[in-house]
Amino acid sequence: MEYTQLTPGILVRRYKRFLADVRLASGEEVVAHCPNTGSMRAVNVPGCRVWLSPSRNPARKLAWTWEWIELPTPGAAPALASVHTGRANAWVEEALRAGRIAELAGYTTLKREAKVEGARLDFRLTEARQTTHVEVKQVTLREDDGHGYFPDSVSERGRRHLESLAARVALGERAVLLFCVAHTGIDAVAPAAHLDPAYAETLRRVAAQGVEVLAYGVSVTRDAGGAPCEAMLTRRLPVDLERLPPSA
């Protein structure tokens, strides 16, 4: 995915879930759309540098969309995290079509937003002998131990998706939970048992029942001014279903 005309600023605050005040380099303060319904734990950090994309729709109420935030990382270079949850499926689809997710290569057809009994899963991949269902979850929560965790708050919807994946396995199909890690400072992923123990317990159970759990991380290219200009899934990351953060 390529980004053009991103505008830098400093995050002032995020509020009412979908709004963010950002101070541009000119000193002007603008209101941007925040395309993220989650808690944004650890990525909603006022004072950090952010990048906004402009709207090309003159009728839209807000002219800006918050895309990226640059976060301090102790002992390392600052990390970039995407706050736009709508980008995750696009990254995954591009990686699937390019064959960069080795575990999901070789399919003949790809269907987005595939309906199954009682749910809608992000992708259905088919090939001659097998149907594979894939549910994508974006990960941006990096705790003090350096690991990434999902979810960043209680997610009953996420738990229901796990049950839907397990149901596909019971029917003889293949089912995959794919963590799309949209944070360049995360190198491993675990379920957030300290925030949503029910989700973590369900994930461990469905994994034992045959649901596969994968994690791939985004790599970001910056332009000469430091703005993100290209992002794609390239990094295969480990998943530890038993890990707890040090503070838990």
Side-chain angles (χ1 to χ4, degrees), residues 123-212:
F123 296 99
R124 181 169 64 223
L125 311 178
T126 57
E127 45 99 357
R129 298 182 181 180
Q130 190 174 61
T131 296
T132 301
H133 293 271
V134 181
E135 178 64 17
V136 177
K137 297 300 181 187
Q138 178 167 304
V139 180
T140 57
L141 172 58
R142 182 184 188 273
E143 295 285 25
D144 291 342
D145 61 353
H147 276 63
Y149 291 88
F150 183 89
D152 63 2
S153 61
V154 173
S155 177
E156 179 60 24
R157 182 171 180 268
R159 197 189 64 77
R160 290 198 302 269
H161 281 145
L162 294 178
E163 299 288 6
S164 295
L165 291 171
R168 305 324 297 173
V169 172
L171 292 173
E173 298 174 340
R174 186 182 178 203
V176 178
L177 175 67
L178 176 57
F179 288 123
C180 173
V181 181
H183 188 307
T184 61
I186 292 175
D187 294 320
V189 180
H194 58 309
L195 300 175
D196 190 347
Y199 181 91
E201 180 181 355
T202 303
L203 177 54
R204 296 185 191 109
R205 174 170 54 79
V206 302
Q209 293 170 348
V211 174
E212 300 170 49

XYZ file of all heavy atoms in Angstrom, residues 123-212:
696
model
N -11.825 -13.516 4.991
C -11.464 -14.094 3.702
C -11.838 -15.572 3.648
O -11.756 -16.281 4.662
C -9.950 -13.983 3.443
C -9.444 -12.575 3.327
C -8.832 -11.962 4.416
C -9.591 -11.855 2.150
C -8.361 -10.669 4.320
C -9.131 -10.555 2.051
C -8.508 -9.952 3.139
N -12.228 -16.001 2.448
C -12.350 -17.434 2.173
C -11.459 -17.743 0.978
O -11.638 -17.166 -0.101
C -13.786 -17.832 1.881
C -13.931 -19.345 1.608
C -15.363 -19.799 1.578
N -16.099 -19.191 0.481
C -17.321 -18.701 0.587
N -17.952 -18.725 1.752
N -17.929 -18.162 -0.457
N -10.518 -18.643 1.191
C -9.597 -19.073 0.146
C -9.977 -20.487 -0.264
O -10.252 -21.333 0.588
C -8.155 -19.059 0.652
C -7.680 -17.783 1.364
C -6.246 -17.960 1.856
C -7.784 -16.578 0.446
N -9.979 -20.738 -1.555
C -10.301 -22.082 -2.017
C -9.239 -22.574 -2.984
O -8.627 -21.797 -3.719
C -11.675 -22.127 -2.710
O -11.681 -21.192 -3.795
C -12.785 -21.775 -1.742
N -9.026 -23.848 -2.960
C -8.207 -24.541 -3.954
C -8.824 -25.913 -4.162
O -9.884 -26.198 -3.611
C -6.731 -24.591 -3.529
C -6.482 -24.979 -2.099
C -6.121 -26.433 -1.937
O -6.119 -27.175 -2.936
O -5.854 -26.840 -0.799
N -8.218 -26.740 -4.962
C -8.871 -27.961 -5.442
C -9.419 -28.824 -4.315
O -10.519 -29.362 -4.418
C -7.893 -28.748 -6.305
N -8.690 -28.971 -3.228
C -9.087 -29.934 -2.203
C -9.491 -29.314 -0.872
O -9.862 -30.036 0.049
C -7.928 -30.913 -1.957
C -7.538 -31.734 -3.163
C -6.419 -32.700 -2.812
N -6.018 -33.485 -3.969
C -5.056 -34.408 -3.953
N -4.414 -34.653 -2.816
N -4.751 -35.085 -5.041
N -9.419 -27.994 -0.751
C -9.590 -27.420 0.576
C -10.183 -26.019 0.531
O -9.913 -25.242 -0.389
C -8.232 -27.375 1.295
C -8.290 -27.013 2.761
C -6.921 -27.133 3.398
O -5.980 -26.463 3.010
N -6.806 -28.012 4.376
N -11.009 -25.720 1.543
C -11.501 -24.364 1.766
C -10.879 -23.853 3.058
O -10.874 -24.545 4.074
C -13.029 -24.345 1.898
O -13.610 -24.772 0.664
C -13.533 -22.945 2.234
N -10.352 -22.638 3.000
C -9.699 -22.037 4.164
C -10.377 -20.719 4.501
O -10.537 -19.859 3.628
C -8.201 -21.778 3.892
O -7.561 -23.016 3.578
C -7.525 -21.142 5.105
N -10.777 -20.563 5.760
C -11.358 -19.306 6.234
C -10.321 -18.568 7.071
O -9.644 -19.177 7.910
C -12.608 -19.577 7.072
C -13.736 -20.147 6.273
N -14.663 -19.368 5.631
C -14.063 -21.442 5.999
C -15.529 -20.150 5.001
N -15.185 -21.411 5.208
N -10.202 -17.267 6.840
C -9.199 -16.447 7.515
C -9.882 -15.259 8.168
O -10.616 -14.512 7.506
C -8.116 -15.945 6.534
C -7.059 -15.114 7.270
C -7.461 -17.116 5.799
N -9.636 -15.070 9.456
C -10.095 -13.885 10.179
C -8.875 -13.067 10.560
O -7.896 -13.588 11.097
C -10.885 -14.270 11.422
C -11.359 -13.096 12.266
C -12.356 -12.188 11.555
O -12.952 -12.604 10.539
O -12.544 -11.042 12.022
N -8.903 -11.774 10.267
C -7.768 -10.867 10.483
C -8.034 -9.989 11.694
O -9.126 -9.427 11.836
C -7.533 -9.986 9.239
C -6.393 -8.996 9.486
C -7.249 -10.851 8.014
N -7.023 -9.851 12.551
C -7.098 -8.939 13.687
C -5.851 -8.064 13.704
O -4.731 -8.566 13.670
C -7.205 -9.711 15.008
C -8.463 -10.559 15.132
C -9.734 -9.731 15.045
C -10.976 -10.603 15.205
N -12.223 -9.814 14.959
N -6.067 -6.749 13.747
C -4.932 -5.822 13.764
C -4.388 -5.681 15.186
O -5.139 -5.466 16.129
C -5.349 -4.453 13.234
C -4.214 -3.424 13.267
C -4.533 -2.193 12.465
O -4.830 -2.261 11.284
N -4.476 -1.035 13.112
N -3.066 -5.750 15.304
C -2.382 -5.653 16.595
C -1.539 -4.385 16.628
O -0.679 -4.182 15.760
C -1.479 -6.877 16.841
C -0.771 -6.755 18.186
C -2.285 -8.162 16.774
N -1.786 -3.533 17.619
C -0.948 -2.341 17.818
C -0.528 -2.167 19.267
O 0.242 -1.251 19.575
C -1.678 -1.059 17.357
O -2.913 -0.936 18.062
C -1.929 -1.071 15.860
N -1.033 -3.012 20.155
C -0.702 -2.870 21.577
C 0.661 -3.495 21.862
O 0.822 -4.712 21.789
C -1.775 -3.524 22.444
C -1.457 -3.618 23.947
C -1.189 -2.242 24.549
C -2.589 -4.332 24.689
N 1.618 -2.665 22.217
C 2.945 -3.121 22.639
C 3.095 -2.796 24.118
O 3.074 -1.632 24.509
C 4.052 -2.437 21.836
C 5.475 -2.895 22.193
C 6.495 -2.070 21.393
N 7.844 -2.555 21.539
C 8.687 -2.202 22.508
N 8.283 -1.343 23.461
N 9.908 -2.675 22.569
N 3.235 -3.842 24.940
C 3.391 -3.631 26.369
C 4.868 -3.441 26.715
O 5.746 -3.517 25.841
C 2.799 -4.815 27.154
C 1.287 -4.958 27.004
C 0.494 -3.918 27.797
O 1.018 -2.825 28.082
O -0.677 -4.202 28.130
N 5.148 -3.197 27.990
C 6.506 -2.856 28.410
C 7.518 -3.979 28.181
O 8.723 -3.733 28.157
C 6.515 -2.469 29.898
C 5.805 -1.146 30.152
O 5.620 -0.382 29.189
O 5.433 -0.888 31.311
N 7.032 -5.212 28.022
C 7.956 -6.315 27.751
C 8.351 -6.397 26.284
O 9.116 -7.274 25.892
C 7.356 -7.647 28.202
C 6.058 -7.981 27.469
O 5.560 -7.123 26.712
O 5.551 -9.101 27.652
N 7.830 -5.489 25.459
C 8.181 -5.459 24.047
C 7.327 -6.340 23.167
O 7.465 -6.303 21.936
N 6.450 -7.136 23.749
C 5.588 -8.011 22.973
C 4.297 -7.288 22.576
O 3.857 -6.349 23.238
C 5.229 -9.269 23.774
C 6.263 -10.346 23.683
N 7.550 -10.185 24.142
C 6.196 -11.613 23.169
C 8.233 -11.299 23.938
N 7.439 -12.180 23.346
N 3.697 -7.783 21.497
C 2.392 -7.306 21.085
C 1.300 -8.183 21.657
O 1.491 -9.404 21.819
N 0.159 -7.573 21.992
C -0.950 -8.305 22.592
C -2.263 -7.937 21.906
O -2.455 -6.793 21.467
C -1.052 -7.994 24.085
C 0.093 -8.554 24.893
C 1.265 -7.817 25.072
C 0.033 -9.829 25.450
C 2.334 -8.325 25.793
C 1.088 -10.351 26.179
C 2.241 -9.601 26.341
O 3.290 -10.118 27.046
N -3.158 -8.905 21.827
C -4.503 -8.683 21.305
C -5.489 -9.436 22.183
O -5.217 -10.575 22.568
C -4.621 -9.174 19.860
C -5.984 -8.898 19.271
C -6.231 -7.699 18.626
C -7.008 -9.829 19.391
C -7.500 -7.432 18.115
C -8.280 -9.565 18.891
C -8.510 -8.368 18.246
N -6.649 -8.802 22.469
C -7.106 -7.465 22.094
C -6.587 -6.408 23.069
O -5.964 -6.747 24.080
C -8.626 -7.591 22.191
C -8.835 -8.609 23.280
C -7.705 -9.584 23.163
N -6.862 -5.133 22.765
C -6.416 -4.071 23.670
C -7.500 -3.685 24.677
O -7.316 -2.780 25.479
C -5.930 -2.845 22.889
C -7.013 -2.188 22.054
O -8.183 -2.651 22.094
O -6.702 -1.219 21.333
N -8.634 -4.386 24.621
C -9.716 -4.251 25.599
C -10.620 -5.471 25.414
O -10.415 -6.277 24.497
C -10.515 -2.955 25.395
O -11.116 -2.936 24.121
N -11.605 -5.615 26.255
C -12.492 -6.780 26.141
C -13.162 -6.788 24.773
O -13.704 -5.771 24.313
C -13.551 -6.760 27.261
C -14.573 -7.873 27.050
C -12.877 -6.913 28.619
N -13.122 -7.944 24.104
C -13.663 -8.042 22.746
C -14.548 -9.281 22.641
O -14.084 -10.365 22.284
C -12.538 -8.113 21.715
O -13.058 -8.267 20.409
N -15.818 -9.115 22.915
C -16.758 -10.219 22.765
C -16.914 -10.581 21.285
O -17.049 -11.756 20.931
C -18.115 -9.835 23.360
C -19.186 -10.896 23.236
C -18.836 -12.204 23.919
O -18.016 -12.191 24.859
O -19.373 -13.247 23.504
N -16.874 -9.580 20.427
C -16.962 -9.847 18.986
C -15.785 -10.699 18.529
O -15.951 -11.642 17.743
C -17.007 -8.527 18.215
C -17.146 -8.674 16.708
C -17.395 -7.319 16.061
N -17.536 -7.421 14.622
C -16.539 -7.285 13.770
N -15.310 -7.038 14.219
N -16.741 -7.389 12.459
N -14.584 -10.374 19.023
C -13.415 -11.162 18.665
C -13.536 -12.597 19.142
O -13.127 -13.535 18.444
N -14.104 -12.787 20.323
C -14.275 -14.142 20.849
C -15.268 -14.926 19.994
O -15.067 -16.119 19.718
C -14.753 -14.083 22.301
C -14.568 -15.388 23.064
C -15.253 -15.338 24.423
N -16.692 -15.200 24.274
C -17.492 -16.215 23.943
N -17.001 -17.415 23.730
N -18.782 -16.010 23.827
N -16.321 -14.259 19.530
C -17.297 -14.935 18.662
C -16.650 -15.355 17.342
O -16.982 -16.415 16.801
C -18.495 -14.026 18.404
C -19.390 -13.816 19.627
C -20.759 -13.297 19.221
N -20.666 -12.040 18.491
C -20.707 -10.837 19.054
N -20.826 -10.729 20.381
N -20.631 -9.743 18.318
N -15.749 -14.535 16.836
C -15.048 -14.917 15.606
C -14.220 -16.188 15.819
O -14.119 -17.034 14.924
C -14.138 -13.779 15.135
C -14.868 -12.691 14.429
N -14.526 -11.361 14.530
C -15.942 -12.728 13.601
C -15.345 -10.632 13.803
N -16.209 -11.439 13.234
N -13.624 -16.323 16.990
C -12.865 -17.539 17.289
C -13.780 -18.762 17.259
O -13.409 -19.815 16.720
C -12.188 -17.424 18.649
C -11.091 -16.364 18.787
C -10.547 -16.357 20.219
C -9.947 -16.606 17.799
N -14.959 -18.628 17.827
C -15.903 -19.740 17.836
C -16.328 -20.086 16.405
O -16.503 -21.270 16.068
C -17.123 -19.402 18.685
C -16.831 -19.124 20.155
C -16.455 -20.380 20.948
O -16.312 -21.467 20.351
O -16.313 -20.254 22.184
N -16.475 -19.071 15.565
C -16.843 -19.324 14.169
C -15.737 -20.071 13.438
O -16.005 -20.960 12.622
C -17.150 -18.002 13.459
O -18.291 -17.375 14.014
N -14.493 -19.721 13.716
C -13.365 -20.432 13.106
C -13.349 -21.890 13.561
O -13.140 -22.808 12.747
C -12.054 -19.747 13.463
C -11.816 -18.364 12.840
C -10.575 -17.718 13.453
C -11.673 -18.450 11.321
N -13.563 -22.106 14.846
C -13.576 -23.479 15.368
C -14.695 -24.289 14.726
O -14.535 -25.493 14.455
C -13.722 -23.467 16.883
N -15.827 -23.660 14.459
C -16.944 -24.357 13.821
C -16.580 -24.802 12.410
O -17.008 -25.877 11.962
C -18.179 -23.460 13.793
N -15.787 -24.012 11.701
C -15.362 -24.406 10.353
C -14.439 -25.622 10.417
O -14.515 -26.528 9.580
C -14.655 -23.261 9.642
C -15.403 -21.939 9.543
C -16.881 -22.067 9.348
N -17.246 -22.715 8.092
C -18.484 -23.062 7.760
N -19.475 -22.845 8.607
N -18.733 -23.645 6.604
N -13.559 -25.644 11.419
C -12.667 -26.799 11.593
C -13.492 -28.057 11.860
O -13.219 -29.139 11.321
C -11.664 -26.548 12.731
C -10.875 -27.820 13.047
C -10.703 -25.424 12.362
N -14.526 -27.933 12.684
C -15.371 -29.078 13.009
C -16.076 -29.626 11.775
O -16.432 -30.811 11.731
C -16.394 -28.678 14.073
N -16.257 -28.784 10.765
C -16.895 -29.206 9.519
C -15.887 -29.761 8.513
O -16.251 -30.071 7.378
C -17.657 -28.035 8.900
C -18.889 -27.560 9.679
C -19.462 -26.288 9.060
C -19.952 -28.658 9.719
N -14.614 -29.830 8.917
C -13.598 -30.390 8.041
C -12.881 -29.370 7.187
O -12.087 -29.740 6.300
N -13.122 -28.070 7.429
C -12.442 -27.020 6.681
C -11.235 -26.515 7.473
O -11.048 -26.860 8.638
C -13.417 -25.880 6.379
C -14.576 -26.326 5.506
C -15.621 -25.259 5.300
O -15.670 -24.304 6.108
O -16.403 -25.389 4.358
N -10.440 -25.714 6.829
C -9.274 -25.119 7.479
C -9.651 -23.717 7.944
O -10.351 -22.979 7.242
C -8.098 -25.046 6.504
C -6.789 -24.588 7.112
C -5.716 -24.503 6.044
N -4.441 -24.009 6.589
C -3.497 -23.427 5.864
N -3.656 -23.256 4.558
N -2.388 -23.005 6.436
N -9.182 -23.321 9.135
C -9.506 -22.006 9.684
C -8.244 -21.389 10.287
O -7.497 -22.071 10.989
C -10.597 -22.109 10.738
N -8.053 -20.098 10.005
C -6.826 -19.411 10.403
C -7.162 -18.068 11.030
O -7.927 -17.272 10.456
C -5.890 -19.189 9.189
C -4.642 -18.423 9.608
C -5.520 -20.516 8.545
N -6.608 -17.801 12.189
C -6.619 -16.465 12.781
C -5.292 -15.818 12.422
O -4.229 -16.347 12.758
C -6.776 -16.530 14.290
C -6.667 -15.186 15.023
C -7.845 -14.278 14.672
C -6.585 -15.384 16.524
N -5.354 -14.677 11.727
C -4.140 -14.004 11.279
C -4.012 -12.661 11.985
O -4.815 -11.752 11.765
C -4.172 -13.802 9.767
C -3.004 -13.030 9.146
C -1.662 -13.674 9.477
C -3.178 -12.910 7.648
N -3.019 -12.534 12.852
C -2.735 -11.259 13.487
C -1.927 -10.404 12.521
O -0.815 -10.759 12.127
C -1.946 -11.462 14.780
C -2.742 -12.049 15.909
C -2.335 -13.226 16.530
C -3.891 -11.425 16.359
C -3.055 -13.764 17.579
C -4.636 -11.960 17.411
C -4.213 -13.133 18.020
N -2.506 -9.265 12.141
C -1.822 -8.288 11.292
C -1.204 -7.255 12.229
O -1.899 -6.416 12.805
C -2.818 -7.636 10.336
S -2.135 -6.273 9.380
N 0.111 -7.312 12.398
C 0.803 -6.478 13.379
C 1.189 -5.156 12.712
O 2.131 -5.097 11.922
C 2.021 -7.207 13.949
C 2.722 -6.325 14.982
C 1.601 -8.523 14.586
N 0.436 -4.113 13.045
C 0.605 -2.809 12.403
C 1.451 -1.877 13.262
O 1.156 -0.694 13.405
C -0.755 -2.196 12.123
N 2.523 -2.406 13.817
C 3.398 -1.671 14.736
C 4.820 -2.194 14.502
O 5.092 -3.375 14.747
C 2.945 -1.937 16.169
C 3.613 -1.122 17.236
N 4.987 -1.039 17.384
C 3.086 -0.371 18.245
C 5.275 -0.274 18.416
N 4.139 0.157 18.947
N 5.701 -1.329 14.032
C 7.035 -1.798 13.653
C 7.900 -2.168 14.844
O 8.953 -2.785 14.675
C 7.766 -0.732 12.819
O 7.921 0.473 13.603
C 6.992 -0.405 11.540
N 7.472 -1.830 16.061
C 8.237 -2.178 17.251
C 7.820 -3.482 17.893
O 8.364 -3.855 18.941
N 6.883 -4.208 17.291
C 6.421 -5.481 17.828
C 7.051 -6.622 17.042
O 6.959 -6.659 15.812
C 4.883 -5.581 17.765
C 4.245 -4.587 18.743
C 4.413 -7.000 18.074
C 2.730 -4.527 18.651
N 7.672 -7.560 17.747
C 8.337 -8.692 17.104
C 7.746 -10.037 17.506
O 8.247 -11.085 17.073
C 9.840 -8.679 17.434
C 10.537 -7.474 16.822
O 10.212 -7.117 15.678
O 11.395 -6.870 17.496
N 6.727 -10.072 18.347
C 6.069 -11.311 18.751
C 4.691 -10.951 19.288
O 4.459 -9.814 19.730
C 6.884 -12.054 19.811
N 3.771 -11.922 19.262
C 2.382 -11.653 19.615
C 1.892 -12.690 20.619
O 2.285 -13.866 20.567
C 1.481 -11.684 18.360
C 0.020 -11.405 18.726
C 1.961 -10.657 17.343
N 1.000 -12.258 21.519
C 0.371 -13.146 22.494
C -1.053 -12.660 22.746
O -1.366 -11.481 22.527
C 1.160 -13.163 23.799
N -1.938 -13.531 23.209
C -3.280 -13.076 23.603
C -3.196 -12.236 24.874
O -2.400 -12.528 25.770
C -4.043 -14.384 23.844
C -2.992 -15.395 24.147
C -1.781 -14.991 23.355
N -4.017 -11.194 24.952
C -3.971 -10.263 26.086
C -4.806 -10.803 27.240
O -5.890 -10.286 27.543
C -4.442 -8.885 25.656
N -4.288 -11.821 27.909
C -5.019 -12.426 29.028
C -5.186 -11.452 30.184
O -6.105 -11.595 30.997
C -4.292 -13.682 29.496
N -4.316 -10.448 30.279
C -4.424 -9.461 31.357
C -5.542 -8.456 31.109
O -5.982 -7.782 32.039
C -3.094 -8.731 31.531
C -2.599 -8.021 30.311
N -2.493 -8.628 29.073
C -2.159 -6.740 30.132
C -2.017 -7.759 28.196
N -1.820 -6.612 28.812
N -6.021 -8.364 29.860
C -7.089 -7.430 29.517
C -8.399 -8.140 29.207
O -9.479 -7.612 29.496
C -6.672 -6.578 28.310
C -5.409 -5.732 28.496
C -5.050 -5.040 27.193
C -5.604 -4.713 29.611
N -8.318 -9.303 28.592
C -9.506 -10.060 28.228
C -9.226 -11.547 28.429
O -8.921 -12.270 27.471
C -9.911 -9.770 26.782
C -11.282 -10.342 26.429
O -11.790 -11.161 27.209
O -11.827 -9.960 25.373
N -9.308 -12.022 29.676
C -8.993 -13.433 29.945
C -9.897 -14.404 29.193
O -9.458 -15.492 28.822
C -9.154 -13.553 31.461
C -9.942 -12.359 31.879
C -9.630 -11.284 30.906
N -11.143 -14.025 28.953
C -12.053 -14.919 28.233
C -11.583 -15.121 26.800
O -11.655 -16.236 26.252
C -13.471 -14.360 28.264
N -11.114 -14.041 26.171
C -10.604 -14.165 24.798
C -9.376 -15.072 24.772
O -9.266 -15.962 23.922
C -10.252 -12.791 24.228
C -9.748 -12.864 22.803
C -10.637 -12.766 21.741
C -8.399 -13.048 22.518
C -10.195 -12.857 20.427
C -7.949 -13.142 21.216
C -8.848 -13.047 20.170
O -8.417 -13.151 18.870
N -8.453 -14.861 25.709
C -7.236 -15.667 25.744
C -7.558 -17.137 25.954
O -6.979 -18.019 25.293
C -6.303 -15.154 26.841
N -8.485 -17.416 26.853
C -8.864 -18.802 27.116
C -9.503 -19.432 25.884
O -9.205 -20.588 25.528
C -9.837 -18.852 28.293
C -10.302 -20.250 28.658
C -11.297 -20.264 29.809
O -11.560 -19.196 30.384
O -11.819 -21.347 30.106
N -10.367 -18.675 25.214
C -11.020 -19.191 24.010
C -10.010 -19.427 22.904
O -10.082 -20.438 22.186
C -12.110 -18.219 23.528
O -13.053 -18.006 24.580
C -12.836 -18.765 22.311
N -9.044 -18.522 22.752
C -8.035 -18.689 21.714
C -7.225 -19.963 21.939
O -6.969 -20.732 21.010
C -7.121 -17.467 21.665
C -5.970 -17.531 20.656
C -6.482 -17.835 19.253
C -5.179 -16.234 20.667
N -6.831 -20.201 23.177
C -6.069 -21.418 23.459
C -6.907 -22.665 23.157
O -6.408 -23.653 22.607
C -5.614 -21.415 24.919
C -4.637 -20.295 25.263
C -4.132 -20.421 26.691
N -3.402 -19.228 27.102
C -3.844 -18.342 27.976
N -5.023 -18.519 28.560
N -3.124 -17.280 28.293
N -8.183 -22.613 23.506
C -9.041 -23.775 23.281
C -9.226 -24.059 21.797
O -9.094 -25.205 21.356
C -10.398 -23.562 23.959
C -11.408 -24.663 23.644
C -12.654 -24.570 24.490
N -13.294 -23.264 24.423
C -14.065 -22.866 23.410
N -14.273 -23.671 22.373
N -14.632 -21.672 23.434
N -9.542 -23.016 21.017
C -9.791 -23.263 19.590
C -8.509 -23.643 18.863
O -8.542 -24.401 17.882
C -10.487 -22.060 18.918
C -11.813 -21.744 19.610
C -9.595 -20.843 18.837
N -7.367 -23.135 19.339
C -6.100 -23.551 18.745
C -5.867 -25.031 18.969
O -5.392 -25.753 18.074
C -4.949 -22.733 19.326
N -6.221 -25.521 20.153
C -6.102 -26.952 20.440
C -7.059 -27.766 19.581
O -6.803 -28.950 19.311
C -6.360 -27.210 21.921
N -8.155 -27.144 19.143
C -9.130 -27.824 18.303
C -8.767 -27.786 16.823
O -9.472 -28.378 16.005
C -10.513 -27.199 18.516
C -11.074 -27.433 19.915
C -12.325 -26.614 20.193
O -12.668 -25.697 19.440
N -13.021 -26.935 21.278
N -7.697 -27.065 16.481
C -7.246 -27.071 15.097
C -7.246 -25.738 14.387
O -6.837 -25.660 13.216
N -7.699 -24.665 15.036
C -7.598 -23.336 14.421
C -6.129 -22.914 14.414
O -5.472 -22.936 15.458
C -8.448 -22.307 15.177
C -8.225 -20.898 14.615
C -9.925 -22.680 15.103
N -5.626 -22.551 13.256
C -4.234 -22.123 13.147
C -4.116 -20.640 13.507
O -5.003 -19.849 13.192
C -3.720 -22.357 11.733
C -3.771 -23.816 11.309
C -3.491 -23.990 9.828
O -2.502 -23.418 9.342
O -4.287 -24.691 9.160
